[in-house]
Amino acid sequence: MVSTADPLSITPDDLRVRRVGEPAILSPIAGLVQGRVSSPHYVHESDRVLLDDTLEGAEARLCGVADLPSLEPGGPREYIYFDPSRTRAGIVTCGGLCPGLNNVIRGLVLELADNYGVTDVFGFRDGFRGLVGADVAPVRLSREVVADIHNRGGTILGTSRGDQDPSLMVQTLVRLGISVLFVIGGDGSLRGAAKIASSAERLGVALSVIGVPKTIDNDIPYLDQSFGFQTAFTRATDSIKSALTEASSTPYGVGLVKVMGRHSGFIACYAALASHDVDFVLIPEVPFLLDGPGGFLRRLRDRVRRQGHAVVVVAEGAGQDQFEYDGAVDASGNARLADIGGLLRQRITADFAAAGEELSLRYVDPGYAIRSVPANGWDAVYCLRLAQAAVHAAMAGRTAMVVGRWHGRFVHIPIPVATGSRNQVDPNGDLWMSVLEATGQPERLF
Ligand code: F6P
């Protein structure tokens, strides 16, 4: 496993994308790229996208420009590996829901059909479990089947958490004649995708496995943003508006909003910044104390006294150190979180009562409502472009990689790099600084 938490530990070798073979077939869309050269708006397939985007970051590598770690650009290739007339593709969606899943499915199907002439596309039901067993029954994904799915939330294929035996999944793919598999999923599912790719390699099967990284938590590293995140945090701002309306319409009102975000507080931060009406943001990355003169409860009471009301946004993974962890995990191996929303509700109520101060507490938990909706316009565009990049990568014979956007460029990222660490809000970074500026909350709540 590559540990990618420290960018300096990433070597050019870590960023090398695996191939099932060398591309030797002229692509049906070669005309789109022939004659193009790198420009501020396009990266030629022979060029590379630098990992570091600051001078100091690059200088810290103590090497020449040619040796700087860099990513393979995404996009169509002049030559491809798979013969479109003999290619069958599979698609599977795994893990929790995320806005844009259907957009990616539709984007893959239409890109394969319209630009490569690959019309044998199959969708596996309910995550990886749809790829094993005697009764595997993939759905044929035709143009008609995907016609209007991008207007719906969820995934038409169904989804589930949990892994399956990779060699059994490869057996199924071989039996169905599938040589290109798209896995739309979060870190656990992407690790599963890498295992499928390795198992195929061991068995001598030319199978391209391409991941399209999915998570509303935006916690996949070396991606500017994961798809669905923007729709999800935008949706969360509706709950913040409701909480503010309630809190500011009652004497001594506190609106407490809990949003998703297991280990990364991006949804909480972005939703708070988008509404610009929030007084405290509590996220997993920034520890806080409830009690004491500098603790959250005292600061909240001060704010309500001064302002008449306050709005608090808490990410579900915040303040987990206030609980005893019982070791429970879900089917993906994620720790089951304790209910920070419930604890805050209880402690805020008790604290105001103990201080003899009036309080009207309104608790809003939008829960799954922020991720079960269709993608907004921005995410719809992003999903389509990720799907196009995924098809180009697969047809060119790349494998064990995900498509993503880094510094605004579409790139290929080897799965171990995308799953080797977690994207989190940096308490010393500019996003958290913006949150502190916008909320006026103290830098430390202890
Ligand atoms: O992983 C994304 C996420 O949205 C987390 O923020 C959340 O904890 C989790 O999914 C909940 O998903 P489920 O209840 O489906 O396991």
Side-chain angles (χ1 to χ4, degrees):
M1 161 119 152
V2 185
S3 170
T4 59
D6 171 15
L8 270 183
S9 71
I10 300 186
T11 64
D13 244 12
D14 296 330
L15 300 178
R16 200 151 293 136
V17 172
R18 274 156 54 190
R19 301 175 179 208
V20 293
E22 284 314 301
I25 300 170
L26 189 67
S27 166
I29 53 169
L32 268 185
V33 288
Q34 274 162 350
R36 282 181 202 244
V37 291
S38 282
S39 75
H41 309 288
Y42 170 74
V43 191
H44 189 264
E45 63 177 277
S46 62
D47 201 350
R48 307 274 303 181
V49 174
L50 293 177
L51 190 72
D52 306 301
D53 72 346
T54 67
L55 204 54
E56 282 182 16
E59 279 171 355
R61 307 248 176 214
L62 304 174
C63 65
V65 172
D67 296 321
L68 288 172
S70 58
L71 295 153
E72 186 171 79
R77 266 56 190 162
E78 197 172 348
Y79 287 90
I80 56 178
Y81 174 77
F82 289 105
D83 175 353
S85 68
R86 288 194 276 153
T87 300
R88 292 181 137 201
I91 303 175
V92 61
T93 52
C94 310
L97 288 187
C98 179
L101 287 165
N102 283 332
N103 300 64
V104 176
I105 296 170
R106 185 173 187 270
L108 293 170
V109 171
L110 297 186
E111 181 65 23
L112 283 162
D114 293 349
N115 289 311
Y116 288 93
V118 175
T119 50
D120 279 344
V121 185
F122 299 89
F124 294 93
R125 294 179 192 276
D126 301 330
F128 286 140
R129 71 170 72 158
L131 271 147
V132 291
D135 54 350
V136 166
V139 206
R140 183 176 272 274
L141 295 172
S142 63
R143 176 181 297 284
E144 292 69 36
V145 171
V146 301
D148 65 353
I149 62 170
H150 54 319
N151 299 318
R152 284 183 253 156
T155 158
I156 57 159
L157 296 178
T159 184
S160 66
R161 292 196 182 276
D163 217 352
Q164 298 292 335
D165 181 335
S167 59
L168 293 182
M169 294 195 270
V170 173
Q171 273 173 32
T172 300
L173 295 165
V174 169
R175 198 173 69 239
L176 295 169
I178 288 175
S179 45
V180 161
L181 177 70
F182 299 97
V183 177
I184 313 171
D187 54 353
S189 324
L190 295 175
R191 278 189 206 106
K195 286 187 209 156
I196 299 175
S198 297
S199 172
E201 220 166 68
R202 272 195 303 277
L203 296 166
V205 174
L207 173 72
S208 164
V209 184
I210 304 294
V212 184
K214 165 239 66 160
T215 154
I216 60 164
D217 290 358
N218 197 32
D219 58 1
I220 298 178
Y222 303 101
L223 282 188
D224 291 345
Q225 203 166 299
S226 55
F227 79 80
F229 164 65
Q230 195 185 90
T231 306
F233 85 70
T234 304
R235 185 65 189 227
T237 61
D238 292 341
S239 302
I240 297 176
K241 274 185 210 135
S242 312
L244 173 68
T245 306
E246 288 285 346
S248 58
S249 306
T250 42
Y252 306 103
V254 170
L256 173 62
V257 184
K258 183 175 103 170
V259 293
M260 284 188 172
R262 207 193 294 274
H263 301 289
S264 302
F266 290 102
I267 297 173
C269 290
Y270 272 77
L273 290 176
S275 55
H276 204 176
D277 270 323
V278 174
D279 300 286
F280 295 91
V281 180
L282 304 175
I283 59 172
E285 297 89 333
V286 181
F288 60 91
L289 285 183
L290 288 174
D291 301 303
F296 166 71
L297 293 169
R298 175 72 69 84
R299 300 291 191 167
L300 175 65
R301 259 195 295 123
D302 291 348
R303 186 68 70 100
V304 174
R305 212 178 302 121
R306 209 171 63 231
Q307 198 174 261
H309 68 269
V311 175
V312 181
V313 175
V314 59
E316 63 177 334
Q320 292 299 306
D321 54 350
Q322 321 271 344
F323 304 90
E324 193 112 343
Y325 177 50
D326 63 2
V329 291
D330 69 10
S332 303
N334 300 308
R336 283 202 190 279
L337 299 175
D339 180 14
I340 185 68
L343 178 74
L344 289 179
R345 219 170 149 178
Q346 207 182 72
R347 295 297 311 276
I348 293 169
T349 307
D351 181 67
F352 274 70
E357 292 183 26
E358 195 179 338
L359 168 75
S360 297
L361 179 63
R362 304 287 187 254
Y363 182 58
V364 184
D365 179 356
Y368 296 99
I370 69 168
R371 68 176 206 187
S372 53
V373 290
N376 68 10
W378 195 94
D379 269 327
V381 173
Y382 189 36
C383 288
L384 172 56
R385 298 196 67 197
L386 284 172
Q388 291 171 333
V391 171
H392 298 318
M395 293 305 292
R398 304 307 196 263
T399 192
M401 53 148 276
V402 300
V403 285
R405 195 148 65 175
W406 184 237
H407 308 324
R409 314 274 199 182
F410 282 92
V411 291
H412 297 169
I413 307 164
I415 291 179
V417 173
T419 56
S421 62
R422 181 175 285 132
N423 188 29
Q424 287 192 300
V425 177
D426 180 354
N428 294 310
D430 62 337
L431 173 62
W432 187 244
M433 206 188 302
S434 288
V435 171
L436 295 178
E437 289 174 57
T439 56
Q441 82 184 57
E443 205 177 337
R444 283 184 188 78
L445 287 170
F446 48 79

